[in-house]
């Protein structure tokens, strides 16, 4: 379950970087950071669902 928390924290970090980048006006990197945050967020949600169903646990 720890990997889900780490991926969630990474997603929030990427999204925070997107906000900072957007405020500073660098829209190219804002898009990249949003994509990275979304990818990590999706990965965290998918891992959490898999762990809840019992398929991912050892």
């Amino acid at each position: 379950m720890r990997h889900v928390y780490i991926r969630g924290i990474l997603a929030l970090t990427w999204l925070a970087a997107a906000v900072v980048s957007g405020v500073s006006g660098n829209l190219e990197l804002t898009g990249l950071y949003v994509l990275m945050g979304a990818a990590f967020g999706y990965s965290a949600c998918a891992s959490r669902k898999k762990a809840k169903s019992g398929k991912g646990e050892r």
Side-chain angles (χ1 to χ4, degrees):
M1 191 68 175
R2 185 174 24 193
H3 62 282
V4 174
Y5 294 132
I6 291 171
R7 288 178 186 170
I9 290 169
L10 285 172
L12 290 177
T13 303
W14 280 112
L15 292 174
V19 169
V20 170
S21 183
V23 168
S24 69
N26 195 350
L27 297 179
E28 294 85 15
L29 286 179
T30 301
L32 175 67
Y33 296 154
V34 167
L35 286 174
M36 291 297 292
F40 275 100
Y42 175 77
S43 175
C45 288
S47 293
R48 184 176 178 144
K49 286 181 184 179
K50 193 174 189 181
K52 275 189 171 184
S53 68
K55 295 178 184 175
E57 296 296 318
R58 292 184 188 188

